[in-house]
Amino acid sequence: IQAVATTAAQQTCNINILNFQKASNVDGYRDQHGNELVEDGKDGTNTQYVRRQISIRAKLGFLKIERSTGETVKWLQMRLNEILGANLQITGEYDSTTVKAVKEFQQRYHLTVDGIAGYNTLQALFYN
């Protein structure tokens, strides 16, 4: 039996990737050429590029907490609800309950448990 490599063109539409692409476009993320992502539900080169640009996090800044916000955070919250049954409110704000759910997700899927939804965590959210 011969293994066949799957190219981006051969992939079927993944609804999780499609929704990520839509949210990323609304939030203003662009590919390496400055274009919106094609909303095709495929984890191709441009989607991977945008995923490398995203680091959803909360951190303590000078006397305040700086949080990621937007449609991409809403997508993250929806996926965590679907996968973990987290019952997060879909606020679009990366609050402490969302951070906790991300850490639980990361632990469950053997990722670095840092509470930051970066490249690997986002990829795991696509396929789980």
Side-chain angles (χ1 to χ4, degrees):
I1 299 174
Q2 196 173 24
V4 178
T6 302
T7 65
Q10 294 171 317
Q11 290 179 11
T12 58
C13 179
N14 176 317
I15 191 70
N16 303 319
I17 296 171
L18 177 65
N19 290 334
F20 170 82
Q21 290 166 332
K22 289 178 180 182
S24 297
N25 284 337
V26 169
D27 283 346
Y29 290 103
R30 298 296 178 258
D31 69 15
Q32 60 269 38
H33 307 292
N35 300 315
E36 287 189 351
L37 289 175
V38 173
E39 296 173 2
D40 60 4
K42 298 176 183 177
D43 192 21
T45 305
N46 293 333
T47 299
Q48 291 171 18
Y49 175 86
V50 167
R51 200 162 16 117
R52 282 186 196 90
Q53 310 312 307
I54 295 175
S55 179
I56 300 172
R57 63 176 66 212
K59 66 177 183 173
L60 183 60
F62 186 69
L63 301 178
K64 66 177 183 164
I65 296 176
E66 299 172 10
R67 295 186 172 108
S68 297
T69 60
E71 291 300 311
T72 310
V73 177
K74 286 182 182 179
W75 172 83
L76 169 70
Q77 291 168 327
M78 286 187 282
R79 287 298 295 143
L80 292 169
N81 284 345
E82 292 168 2
I83 295 168
L84 301 176
N87 288 326
L88 297 171
Q89 291 186 0
I90 309 302
T91 62
E93 184 170 318
Y94 198 61
D95 56 15
S96 60
T97 56
T98 306
V99 172
K100 183 179 175 186
V102 166
K103 287 181 178 180
E104 180 183 336
F105 176 83
Q106 290 170 328
Q107 184 172 2
R108 182 181 290 186
Y109 290 96
H110 310 289
L111 300 163
T112 301
V113 180
D114 58 8
I116 299 169
Y119 188 87
N120 292 330
T121 299
L122 295 174
Q123 179 173 343
L125 288 162
F126 286 172
Y127 297 107
N128 289 292

